[in-house]
Amino acid sequence: MSVMELAQRLDDLKLLGRARIVESETGVIVSDLVSASAVAIARDLEALGWTFEALDRVGGVWAIDDLAEAFAPYTLHIDKPQPVSGVFVLTNTAFSTWLIEQKQSNVWQVGSLTRSFSTWGSLFCPFDEIGAFEEHPATKDPREVVRENGAHSLVPNDIRPWLLEASQEPPLEDGSFQAWMAAATPFLLRALCSEVLFPTGRLSFRGPPRVQLSAPESNGFETLEQLGFFNVQEACRWVYENSRETEVRHALFSAEFARSAGEREITEIAFKDICDGVLESSKIAYQLSISELGRDTLKSLAELRKAVTEEVSKTSDTTRQIITAVGGSLSIGIGLVAAKISSVGSPIIIIGLAIVLVIYVLFMGLSGVFYLGLQRNIRSDWRSRLYSFLSSSEYKKMVSQPLFSAAINFYAVAGIGFLLSVSVLALVIFAHPASPSENAENPTVVDLPATISVAEKATKEILPNGQMPDPVRESRSVTTEQPMANEKASPQSEPIIPKPKSASHHN
């Protein structure tokens, strides 16, 4: 007895209307069973070693051998074994329900699945198999490109669980895989339209002309058939494979579909008839737009490079300005310290000047900080409008990292400069004036004019042998002759009395 056989027995009873099945992640409730069906299921559960409980219509517990048709219908409460990873769903009935409810899981163990298959977001495998799985990178949310007006969203928020890996060969004849295709079809069709109308759920495609088709049916896969289903798969893969180009590709596909739909009104029939041709036309239109888009992208990248270079240059200029301000402030601060120590000027005025220097450096740094913050906010506001074609990693490498490095240099210089300014202010405040030096009261006075006159005389006189006179010797001679001249000119010398003139002279 295998899990697959048990799952197929339960699904067959559900299809024949002989049982009702409600399944959760931990167990299965099978109700409305006749005694024979309840006994058969119970024997399978005993062979698998699963725990269960059989109840009659009033909730009484019965042993398997005691089940009688008179007390039917019976209900079986089955405890499922828990998987190592992901979720385990036993029946295709619950599998379809969980898929429609968009239950999220990377690994699905399906009881009646015969062979594994994988999508961009999930791995589906039988109960006794768990293979390696690598999730596809995140794609653009379909709800960002498909418009909806209803309170309950019908468009999936992640397209990856509904896109098959193109390199695999899925089990087309497997009942579980067909249940997955039936659940995936409405989500894929809604992800390719322009708008889902509320409350009818009709699909709208922008043109021109604008086209409205019927709401996708739950059994739409039967109308679409396998070939149409895989054409829709291919279209969704092309639209959503590149997040940066999804909006452009989605708009091109929607416009081409509206142009080619004609008088068709059924969504599944329209996709079955024209999806492959619309996809080829969309690819050609996209290739034609690539050249123009490439020129615009190159122009935008050149402007971005110029803007980043200018901003880095401005940040470097601001850093140099604050270095100059800090250097000048430190020079003046050292002078103020020297003035404070030598007791030149009022200490209060000196301390006040030092405080002004610190405030000057602080304001220079704050102006740079405010400038960098303003530029950062501007970049954040305009990135989504001008440079949305760049991924987060590319934008970080081309813009964020160079500007961050320049900003770090500025912050380091500003911080160190402010600390140095505060240190100089502390030196000015706590510096003590030096005590006055005690020198001799009568300093030596040099008779500079006499020496200068001797030097001038020496430069003018030349000895008979052609040599210049010795200024030192002349200085000494002048020094020794000076007291004698003073002695001759002293008041004790005899005054000269002029003789009176004779009378004859007047005559």
Side-chain angles (χ1 to χ4, degrees):
M1 184 63 191
S2 65
V3 174
M4 184 179 301
E5 293 174 350
L6 173 63
Q8 290 176 351
R9 183 190 296 275
L10 294 176
D11 286 328
D12 291 341
L13 291 174
K14 176 68 172 60
L15 290 176
L16 295 174
R18 296 179 181 178
R20 297 175 58 188
I21 300 175
V22 177
E23 185 172 351
S24 65
E25 293 188 13
T26 58
V28 183
I29 299 177
V30 186
S31 57
D32 291 346
L33 293 172
V34 297
S35 59
S37 299
V39 171
I41 296 174
R43 298 302 182 193
D44 294 341
L45 294 173
E46 288 180 344
L48 292 173
W50 292 11
T51 59
F52 65 95
E53 191 175 44
L55 291 82
D56 59 16
R57 69 179 69 179
V58 295
V61 180
W62 289 74
I64 299 302
D65 297 333
D66 298 334
L67 294 179
E69 189 63 31
F71 298 98
Y74 292 98
T75 300
L76 294 179
H77 290 258
I78 305 171
D79 295 329
K80 296 193 304 183
Q82 296 304 307
V84 177
S85 61
V87 296
F88 167 46
V89 55
L90 178 61
T91 62
N92 283 338
T93 302
F95 184 46
S96 299
T97 303
W98 290 7
L99 289 173
I100 295 173
E101 294 174 354
Q102 301 187 60
K103 189 177 184 62
Q104 300 295 324
S105 180
N106 289 335
V107 178
W108 292 69
Q109 291 181 326
V110 185
S112 57
L113 184 63
T114 58
R115 184 157 51 89
S116 299
F117 67 95
S118 62
T119 65
W120 284 10
S122 301
L123 171 66
F124 299 88
C125 57
F127 173 72
D128 54 352
E129 295 182 14
I130 298 180
F133 173 68
E134 184 176 355
E135 189 177 18
H136 193 278
T139 61
K140 196 173 187 65
D141 188 348
R143 295 176 183 177
E144 296 181 7
V145 294
V146 179
R147 184 178 178 183
E148 288 185 284
N149 296 323
H152 176 67
S153 179
L154 299 176
V155 179
N157 60 349
D158 189 358
I159 198 66
R160 292 178 297 173
W162 312 112
L163 293 180
L164 289 168
E165 292 287 352
S167 59
Q168 68 179 336
E169 184 179 352
L172 298 177
E173 303 302 325
D174 186 271
S176 297
F177 181 73
Q178 292 178 358
W180 178 86
M181 288 193 295
T185 298
F187 293 119
L188 295 174
L189 298 179
R190 296 187 188 108
L192 291 174
C193 71
S194 301
E195 183 179 0
V196 178
L197 302 179
F198 179 80
T200 60
R202 292 170 63 87
L203 306 187
S204 175
F205 295 84
R206 296 190 185 98
R210 191 179 185 90
V211 174
Q212 292 186 9
L213 301 179
S214 64
E217 300 290 339
S218 58
N219 59 347
F221 169 72
E222 298 177 0
T223 304
L224 191 63
E225 299 181 351
Q226 288 187 1
L227 180 60
F229 176 81
F230 285 105
N231 288 336
V232 172
Q233 281 276 323
E234 184 65 25
C236 281
R237 274 195 294 265
W238 180 76
V239 170
Y240 288 96
E241 65 183 355
N242 192 326
S243 298
R244 292 183 298 176
E245 301 172 356
T246 295
E247 293 186 8
V248 176
R249 296 185 179 188
H250 187 274
L252 291 174
F253 183 88
S254 177
E256 288 293 327
F257 193 92
R259 185 180 62 83
S260 305
E263 301 297 328
R264 298 175 179 85
E265 296 183 357
I266 306 301
T267 299
E268 290 82 4
I269 293 177
F271 272 92
K272 176 184 176 181
D273 293 342
I274 66 174
C275 184
D276 55 343
V278 169
L279 179 59
E280 292 300 324
S281 300
S282 302
K283 290 180 178 180
I284 295 173
Y286 176 74
Q287 292 298 327
L288 292 175
S289 66
I290 279 295
S291 57
E292 183 67 25
L293 184 62
R295 286 194 294 269
D296 294 339
T297 301
L298 291 176
K299 183 178 179 181
S300 299
L301 288 175
E303 293 176 354
L304 178 62
R305 177 181 177 274
K306 181 180 179 181
V308 171
T309 303
E310 290 179 354
E311 189 168 344
V312 170
S313 177
K314 290 180 181 179
T315 305
S316 301
D317 291 341
T318 306
T319 304
R320 286 191 290 269
Q321 291 175 4
I322 198 169
I323 289 175
T324 303
V326 171
S329 300
L330 291 179
S331 300
I332 298 174
I334 293 173
L336 294 177
V337 173
K340 180 77 178 297
I341 293 175
S342 60
S343 302
V344 177
S346 172
I348 297 177
I349 296 177
I350 294 174
I351 294 174
L353 291 175
I355 294 175
V356 170
L357 292 177
V358 173
I359 295 175
Y360 169 68
V361 174
L362 176 62
F363 281 4
M364 286 288 294
L366 289 178
S367 65
V369 171
F370 293 153
Y371 169 77
L372 293 177
L374 178 62
Q375 293 296 321
R376 183 168 56 252
N377 293 334
I378 292 175
R379 290 195 305 271
S380 177
D381 293 338
W382 283 98
R383 178 192 171 186
S384 59
R385 295 174 174 85
L386 297 179
Y387 307 113
S388 58
F389 59 89
L390 289 176
S391 64
S392 298
S393 59
E394 291 175 343
Y395 186 84
K396 181 179 179 181
K397 181 179 180 180
M398 297 173 62
V399 180
S400 300
Q401 288 182 350
L403 296 178
F404 178 75
S405 300
I408 285 296
N409 293 335
F410 170 80
Y411 291 138
V413 170
I416 294 173
F418 181 72
L419 292 178
L420 291 176
S421 302
V422 173
S423 302
V424 171
L425 174 61
L427 289 176
V428 171
I429 294 174
F430 296 105
H432 297 285
S435 58
S437 59
E438 297 180 0
N439 299 324
E441 294 182 358
N442 298 323
T444 305
V445 179
V446 180
D447 192 357
L448 186 59
T451 306
I452 295 175
S453 62
V454 172
E456 292 177 353
K457 180 179 179 182
T459 57
K460 295 179 181 180
E461 295 181 359
I462 301 176
L463 296 178
N465 56 4
Q467 296 180 352
M468 294 294 292
D470 188 357
V472 177
R473 191 178 352 180
E474 293 294 332
S475 176
R476 289 178 180 173
S477 65
V478 173
T479 305
T480 54
E481 290 177 359
Q482 189 68 28
M484 296 179 62
N486 293 337
E487 184 179 356
K488 291 180 180 180
S490 61
Q492 296 178 356
S493 60
E494 184 178 355
I496 301 174
I497 302 174
K499 294 181 181 181
K501 293 181 181 181
S502 60
S504 61
H505 181 72
H506 291 281
N507 292 332

